[in-house]
Amino acid sequence: MARPLSVIRKVDWKLHLYHEEWVLDGGYEKHTTNNSLELFHLGDDMREHHNLAADKPEIRDELLLTW
């Protein structure tokens, strides 16, 4: 089953924003604690197995604010 999402990419960084979770989990106000964002470094993790959203908040937020 597919989940509605948007993706933004900057060089090797890729951010996924899952729309339903974003709305249901509090949107931007709760983006640091909800499950709506996933961040991957494609240079190290081409198959997108390791979500770095919590480990790299500065990159997550930079990409999110370019939306």
Side-chain angles (χ1 to χ4, degrees), residues 19-48:
H19 296 279
E20 291 176 359
E21 287 87 345
W22 181 260
V23 172
L24 295 174
D25 292 345
Y28 188 79
E29 290 181 11
K30 306 273 182 155
H31 80 278
T32 61
T33 58
N34 68 28
N35 294 315
S36 62
L37 299 171
E38 294 179 345
L39 177 68
F40 303 100
H41 188 270
L42 299 179
D44 298 328
D45 182 19
M46 189 67 142
R47 296 181 186 250
E48 302 177 7

Side-chain angles (χ1 to χ4, degrees), residues 32 37-39 51-58 60:
T32 61
L37 299 171
E38 294 179 345
L39 177 68
N51 180 3
L52 301 173
D55 298 334
K56 300 287 187 182
E58 67 284 351
R60 177 201 64 213

